Structures are given as C-alpha cells and as structure tokens.
Amino acid sequence: MKKRKFKIYLTPAENSIVIQSLNHLRNTMLRENRDTDCLDELLLKAMCAPVKKM
C-alpha cells in the first residue's frame, strides 16, 4: 500500500506553535519513559521544512 503524503502551509507563527507543541509532548513522553522515535521524526520534519516565500 502506498503511503499518502500531505502538505500543509503554515505561517511562521503557526510553525513555531507546532514545533513547541511537539517538543512539549516529547518532553512529557520522556518523563513517562515512553518511546519517542516517531515523534522525533515528526519534530525534525517540522523543524527542517522549507519556507515558501510569497
């Protein structure tokens, strides 16, 4: 089965909120000794996403 890809367009402020929220969730999971591998990948994708100039 082919994986579906989604594109979302965020303002810099929205992007910052997404990154902060993912990081907060990651920290919570680390405190609970839960696995954060897939969350780490998502956080890296959000941080390294290209910026589209308008």
Side-chain angles (χ1 to χ4, degrees):
M1 186 165 91
K2 188 175 181 180
K3 290 186 179 183
R4 295 175 64 188
K5 290 188 177 184
F6 295 94
K7 288 187 180 181
I8 58 172
Y9 299 96
L10 303 173
T11 65
E14 292 169 336
N15 191 40
S16 177
I17 291 170
V18 168
I19 291 171
Q20 290 174 13
S21 299
L22 289 171
N23 194 39
H24 184 270
L25 178 60
R26 182 179 181 276
N27 290 336
T28 302
M29 290 177 72
L30 285 172
R31 275 194 299 270
E32 296 172 357
N33 293 323
R34 294 173 57 193
D35 185 36
T36 62
D37 289 342
C38 66
L39 188 59
D40 292 340
E41 290 178 30
L42 183 58
L43 187 56
L44 279 174
K45 285 182 182 182
M47 291 183 338
C48 297
V51 176
K52 183 178 179 181
K53 295 186 180 182
M54 296 187 166

